[in-house]
Amino acid sequence: MASREPRVVLLLLALAAAGQAARLLLGRPGAPPGQLLAPEVPADSGPARQRARAVRAARPLAPGEVVDLNTAPAEEIARLPRVGMSLAKRIVGDRSSRGPFRGPEDLDRVPGVGPALLATLANRVRFSPGAPLQSPRENGANLSTPGAYAGRTGPEMGAPIDLNLASEADLVGLPGIGPARARAILAYRRDKGPFAGVSDLGRVPGFSQSLVTRLAPFLMVR
């Protein structure tokens, strides 16, 4: 029996040494034994971060507070009345892909934004300066020359679009026309017949005279 005791002691010492080595290899300095293999999770990731974003988006605007739609993240835009996180993300995505908004009429190009929402947001948003809209004269074009059009941040156009032949995709590409206004033009053309002139665009619901004037260099009627 006595001859077995040294071997038992040596075995226990070997096990203790192996356990200490495992702790040094797998553990973090100062971590309790129960956390040897527990992964580190950043405090700002996962559900906690999502909850923080949701709380931020749900916080109402203070009196007089406005949101800059050309710089604000989706969480701030979602605080606007009648704008949820889904629409806020579409606004940010459109801004990233097509450039900054020059004003409310550009915002209408985002799916889900229409005249009613634009009226609601009138005093709640601002648009920090982006690429300036150049006039045909600034572009070196003669105002009386057919096909002259203003510079814009969207895709360049080689010639004005025929208002009586344009598709919805053609119209959505114009400054200040979103899907809602493009469909309104097509509905008017279908119900009332072809446009006699670009000025007739003012008869379409949702088109102010200032918007028609702004669009005139981009359009033509044959």
Side-chain angles (χ1 to χ4, degrees):
M1 179 68 66
S3 62
R4 293 182 180 178
E5 289 182 358
R7 285 181 291 181
V8 172
V9 172
L10 290 175
L11 179 59
L12 292 176
L13 290 175
L15 290 174
Q20 183 64 24
R23 176 177 296 184
L24 293 175
L25 289 174
L26 301 177
R28 296 188 299 272
Q35 292 184 355
L36 291 177
L37 301 178
E40 292 191 28
V41 178
D44 63 344
S45 66
R49 184 175 183 180
Q50 293 178 2
R51 284 194 297 270
R53 294 177 64 184
V55 169
R56 182 180 181 186
R59 189 173 73 253
L61 294 179
E65 184 180 3
V66 297
V67 175
D68 190 332
L69 294 184
N70 281 333
T71 60
E75 292 85 353
E76 288 296 320
I77 297 176
R79 297 174 59 209
L80 292 166
R82 298 182 59 188
V83 176
M85 183 58 73
S86 177
L87 179 55
K89 289 181 178 178
R90 288 201 298 272
I91 291 174
V92 172
D94 185 280
R95 183 181 73 198
S96 299
S97 62
R98 303 180 65 179
F101 305 104
R102 291 184 293 258
E105 292 169 349
D106 273 0
L107 185 60
D108 188 43
R109 74 194 186 200
V110 181
V113 177
L117 180 57
L118 291 175
T120 301
L121 301 179
N123 298 319
R124 298 300 191 105
V125 299
R126 67 168 175 258
F127 303 88
S128 58
L133 181 68
Q134 295 178 313
S135 68
R137 191 181 302 280
E138 290 170 336
N139 268 343
N142 189 317
L143 291 176
S144 62
T145 302
Y149 58 93
R152 41 190 296 236
T153 58
E156 295 297 333
M157 299 168 54
I161 293 175
D162 190 330
L163 195 54
N164 287 326
L165 299 176
S167 65
E168 180 176 343
D170 294 331
L171 295 169
V172 169
L174 295 172
I177 296 187
R181 285 196 172 118
R183 288 192 291 268
I185 291 175
L186 297 181
Y188 183 94
R189 196 172 69 193
R190 181 184 64 245
D191 298 338
K192 306 293 186 180
F195 292 92
V198 175
S199 60
D200 285 352
L201 192 60
R203 301 177 182 177
V204 179
F207 284 81
S208 63
Q209 187 56 48
S210 62
L211 178 56
V212 174
T213 301
R214 181 181 176 187
L215 290 170
F218 297 90
L219 299 170
M220 63 178 294
V221 172
R222 291 178 178 171

